[in-house]
Amino acid sequence: MTRPIIVFDLDGTLVDTAPDLLDSLNHSLAASELAAVDEAGFKRFVGHGGRVMIERAHAAQQRSLVVEEHDRLLKLFLDHYTDNIPGKSRPYPGVVEAIARFEAAGYLLAVCTNKYEANSVALIEALDLAKHFAAICGQDTFAFRKPDPRHLTETIVLAGGDPHRALMVGDSQTDIDTAKAAGIPVVAVDFGYTDRHVREFEPSAVISHFDALTLGLAERLIAAAGH
C-alpha cells in the first residue's frame, strides 16, 4: 500500500519568511521612491507572490504601475530576496518535531507552494530541511499553480504518494480552496499570512501550533475523506 503523505505550503506555513519578504518588498519600493511598508501593514500585501505584493503596496499609496515598471520592480524584489536566502527566515515552532513525528510513522512529506521552485528549494536547503521532502514543487514546476488542484495532486504523484491518502497543510484561502478542489482534507494554521481568519474558509481543521498536528488528527482526516 502507498504510504500516506502530508503536503505543506511553505511561506506562512512551514517557514516564517515575512521578515525577508518585507525587506525585499521595501527594497523594490525604494526604487519607486515609495514609503516603506511596516511590519504591521505587511499582512495586507503578502500571500500571493511578489508581483501582487508590489501592486498592492503601490495601490495603498495611490500610485499606479505600468507593466514595464512592474516587471522591473519584481526583478529587484526577486534578486534581493534570492541573494539573501535564508536571511531571517526560520521554521515555525514545532515544525522540525512534526516532520520527525510523521517521518517516524512512515509518512511521505512534500511541499506545494506558489513561491518559485528555485527559491523554495534554496530556502529549504539553507534551513537543512530538504532531506525530509520527497518533492518540492513551486509555481513554475508545472504549467499550473494553486488554486488549480492539479498543482497539489501532481506534487503528490511526483513524491510517490496517493491523493486518496493525502493531507494538505496551509495558511491561506488559496491552500484551502486547492485542497477542497482536489478532494483532499486540509489543516489550516492560523498564524500565517492572511488578512482573514482561516476558519472563514472552512478547512477540515485549524491549528495554532504544529504540536497540534498529531498523527491521530492526520489519520482521522484522511480516513474521513476516504468514506
Side-chain angles (χ1 to χ4, degrees), residues 97-118:
E97 293 81 1
I99 286 172
R101 183 161 63 244
F102 282 96
E103 277 190 325
Y107 278 69
L108 291 166
L109 304 174
V111 171
C112 178
T113 174
N114 277 346
K115 196 187 200 75
Y116 285 104
E117 181 184 313

Side-chain angles (χ1 to χ4, degrees), residues 7 18 22 30 46 50 82 109 117 150 160 169 171 188 212:
V7 182
L22 178 59
V46 72
T82 301
L109 304 174
E117 181 184 313
R150 294 174 296 173
V169 181
D171 72 308

Side-chain angles (χ1 to χ4, degrees), residues 202-222:
E202 300 183 344
S204 310
V206 177
I207 61 171
S208 299
H209 192 287
F210 268 93
D211 286 354
L213 186 65
T214 63
L215 288 168
L217 175 63
E219 289 167 0
R220 285 195 303 274
L221 293 178
I222 292 172

